[in-house]
Every structure is written in structure tokens, then in C-alpha cells.
Amino acid sequence: MISTHDEFDVVVIGGGPGGSSTAGLLAKRNHRVLVLEREKFPRYHIGESLITGSMPTLDELGLRSRLDQMGFVKKYGGTLLWGKNQGTWDFRFAEAANYEHTYQVRRADFDAVLLARARELGATVLEEATVKHFLFEGERIAGVTYTVKGDPEPRTARCRLLVDASGQQHVLARHFDLVEYHEDLRNIAVWSYFQGCKRYGGTRAGDTVTENRPNGWFWFIPLHDGTVSVGYVTPIEEYKKSGKSLEELFTSELAAAEEVRALTEGATRAAAFRSIRDWSYTCSRFHGPGWALVGDAAAFIDPLLSTGVGLALRGSRGLAGAVDAALRDPSCEEQVLARYEKEYRAFLNSLLAFVRFFYDRTRHKEEYWEKAQELLDPRRLRPRKIDFATMLSGVSGVHDIFHTD
């Protein structure tokens, strides 16, 4: 039972993919971990399309067979209508990595499985728990005070290290004023779910379809419950100039689209519209005395390449290794967390450079392949199309990302 004053090796703020994975991996290493999750799971979240860079973490957590049993759509790659008058083209994950597929997931189900797995591995997980204050010893964070819904008494949890995985709530980043938005990627997205859509055949049935429009782009993500997530992303300024509501803008752009319009023709919208804005940012620091950031709490680089959950899962695996090392030898804390941040930032920077290049929709697909090769494989040791698949799979980058051995 948790007392009103308790001590842990690690307190993790947030039970989404980054938080639950970090907590589970640290509990698996026999550390005492507390997860404080503000909501009650399962809960809705956008970001249904995974990349194969997520798979090593899911394997280490022992979740692959469970995800297969849940019937999630298997995603073997992606189909794009993007660039200069070339029709649709695609990539396959098998071209780039040992993993030939990943999953399209309903995040309510997927996130709940990850949080449950953290519990199974030994982490203490409190839902509907809200962090109120940070405890400091000098400049070092030493714990938090928090409240649990229905409990009138605030509680204190002291820890040797605090991990902020609070996503776009940015609990620590707001406290330290660390969030830096990428002004050229200030976008807004509007989406809903459709039933009765057409699907591709064979291994393309689970593809994310990405289609460019003159002032934005569509995603089309097939899910295992028979619905498809369909969203439109555009710069906030373009939305304002349109003079339309988000629902009107979505409808007019879908009517003018090609591939996504054909796939949704005759389908029924099965849910209300949702929206979100200001998606791209990076924090100026990812760690400090007694704390570290992971997942969306550290950075988010545009939804274009479906890297959100992948970055959280890859980051959690690297951070768990760094935190484990710091807990076993406190003298190396700064060194291992600095390395984690350096490698995380290197990958984010290469990803950001590629996203900015990719948003130029006047290019041929071969130019996108060449840009991926420039960033990942400057010695041209692999075919450029393989480097493109590698970039979109999230399995590699400029450095051996998150390697902490």
C-alpha cells in the first residue's frame, strides 16, 4: 500500500507509451518505480500509426504476441501520393530492417496494454493522480507532491530520479520554460473516423496512405475495428486564410483529393471531428539534476512520418538504460543522461531536416530518397530507396540512437 510519504528509485509522470515503457523496463531491472497518470485508462488518444522502430521496445517488454492476439492491423509499409505528378508510390519496412511489419492501433487499447504491462513487471501505477509540486534539494529534483482523485490528502513521493513522460502537458518543461516551437511547422490537424472505406489488398491492406494537397495533406489509417482514421493537416495560417470552419475545410479538401477521396467514397463518418494544433517543438534541455524527459514531453516532430509513438518507445528504451546505469552508479548520472540527450537530439535533428525537405511537394520521389541517403548513409553504402525506407521505419539514424551499453 502507498503511504502519504513514500520513497522510490524513480517516479514517472505520465502513463502513455513513453512513461509506461520506461517504468516497465526499469521495474524489470528491479528498481522501485511509481507511475502517476492523470487520467483513467483506457482513454482516447490520437497517433494510431506505429513504425518498426517501436518493435525492439515492445519485444523487450514481451508484448508482441499479446498485440497479435488483439487483432491490430499489421502495417507493412506506407503508400504515398506525394511529390511531382508521379501517381502513388510506396515503401516496405522489410526493405530496411529485421521487422517486416508493425501495427495500426487504437491508442486507447494499445496504451492500456502498455500501462498494464508496467504493473505486471512490478511498477506501482496510480491513475487519476495529478502532480502538484516538485520537491527540490538545492537544484536537484528529489520528488513530487500529488493528489489522487477522491483522496483529500496530498501525498509525497521522494525519488532518486524523476522522469517526465507527461506528453504535451510538458509538466517539467513548463516549470523550467523549456518548450521551443518550430515556427515553420505550426500546423493544425482535423480528423474523424469513417466506416465502409475501401482497402488495398495483400500486405498493402494496412498501409498508412499519405496524400499531399496544395496547402496540406491527408492521412488514412485503417484500424482493426473496421473504421479508418482520416485526418487533414495544414498550416495554421492557411486554415485562418480559408475562412472556413475546420469541418468545412476537411470536407472541401477531401472532395478535391484523389487517393483518399477514392478510398472513402461511399463511406460513413462514424465519429465527431477532433482537432489539435501546434504539433512541432523541441525542449531546450532533456535532462537536469535528478530529472529527464522522454517522448512528447521532450519533443514532437510533426505527424507527417508517424514518428510520435516510435520516438517515445525508442526513447524509453534508451532512457531506461541510462537511468538504470545512473541508479547503480550515481557518479555517472550526468554522463549517461547527457549521452542519452545527445543521441536523442541527433536523431531528432535528422528527422526534422527530413520532414522540412519532405514538405516541398514539388520534388520527385527520387529526390526524397536521395535526401534520406544524405542524412543516413552519406557514403552511399545502400540503395537510396532503402535509406528512405530506413528513415520512415525509425530503426536507424545518424548515430546508434539511444545506445547505452
Side-chain angles (χ1 to χ4, degrees), residues 258-276:
E258 297 178 39
E259 192 72 5
V260 175
R261 178 181 55 79
L263 291 169
T264 57
E265 191 171 9
T268 300
R269 183 164 61 83
F273 283 105
R274 295 174 180 263
S275 63
I276 193 170

Side-chain angles (χ1 to χ4, degrees), residues 132-148:
K132 295 296 185 180
H133 303 286
F134 300 110
L135 305 177
F136 285 87
E137 292 179 355
E139 294 185 353
R140 182 179 181 84
I141 286 186
V144 296
T145 60
Y146 65 97
T147 57
V148 177

Side-chain angles (χ1 to χ4, degrees), residues 80 82-91 354 357-358 360-375 380 382-389:
L80 303 99
W82 197 276
K84 194 171 183 178
N85 301 323
Q86 294 176 291
T88 59
W89 48 287
D90 73 334
F91 69 94
F354 187 73
F357 185 87
F358 204 70
D360 181 352
R361 286 155 286 197
T362 66
R363 299 179 183 275
H364 294 282
K365 64 178 182 288
E366 292 82 4
E367 294 178 80
Y368 302 126
W369 299 350
E370 288 171 3
K371 184 63 174 181
Q373 186 171 66
E374 173 191 322
L375 291 167
R380 301 179 182 273
R382 299 181 297 269
R384 58 188 179 175
K385 189 173 187 290
I386 302 302
D387 288 322
F388 178 82

Side-chain angles (χ1 to χ4, degrees), residues 193-268:
Y193 297 86
F194 288 76
Q195 183 176 344
C197 295
K198 299 177 180 65
R199 306 278 185 102
Y200 296 141
T203 59
R204 293 182 65 207
D207 279 14
T208 293
V209 181
T210 307
E211 177 176 346
N212 67 239
R213 295 286 304 135
N215 296 312
W217 58 275
F218 274 101
W219 77 66
F220 177 100
I221 301 171
L223 302 172
H224 72 296
D225 64 356
T227 65
V228 176
S229 172
V230 182
Y232 179 68
V233 181
T234 190
I236 290 174
E237 290 306 313
E238 292 295 336
Y239 159 59
K240 291 178 178 178
K241 284 194 299 184
S242 74
K244 299 176 181 177
S245 69
L246 285 172
E247 295 81 358
E248 291 169 342
L249 183 62
F250 178 99
T251 301
S252 63
E253 288 294 328
L254 182 60
E258 297 178 39
E259 192 72 5
V260 175
R261 178 181 55 79
L263 291 169
T264 57
E265 191 171 9
T268 300

Side-chain angles (χ1 to χ4, degrees), residues 14-119:
S20 57
S21 298
T22 303
L25 294 174
L26 286 169
K28 189 178 178 182
R29 292 169 166 89
N30 298 315
H31 297 297
R32 192 164 187 237
V33 182
L34 172 66
V35 179
L36 300 173
E37 167 52 48
R38 189 183 62 167
E39 299 187 58
K40 174 64 181 172
F41 279 37
R43 55 89 176 97
Y44 178 82
H45 207 287
I46 191 60
E48 298 109 339
S49 190
L50 305 188
I51 55 176
T52 48
S54 308
M55 302 304 278
T57 305
L58 297 175
D59 281 344
E60 192 170 343
L61 290 167
L63 287 175
R64 283 285 295 283
S65 61
R66 196 175 305 185
L67 296 176
D68 285 336
Q69 291 166 8
M70 292 179 72
F72 289 133
V73 171
K74 291 182 178 179
K75 174 187 174 185
Y76 289 86
T79 295
L80 303 99
L81 182 60
W82 197 276
K84 194 171 183 178
N85 301 323
Q86 294 176 291
T88 59
W89 48 287
D90 73 334
F91 69 94
R92 301 293 100 192
F93 289 131
E95 298 172 323
N98 294 330
Y99 297 96
E100 66 174 12
H101 74 80
T102 183
Y103 304 96
Q104 310 280 28
V105 300
R106 277 183 20 130
R107 285 287 302 278
D109 302 328
F110 178 74
D111 291 10
V113 166
L114 287 174
L115 192 63
R117 184 58 176 154
R119 280 194 175 104

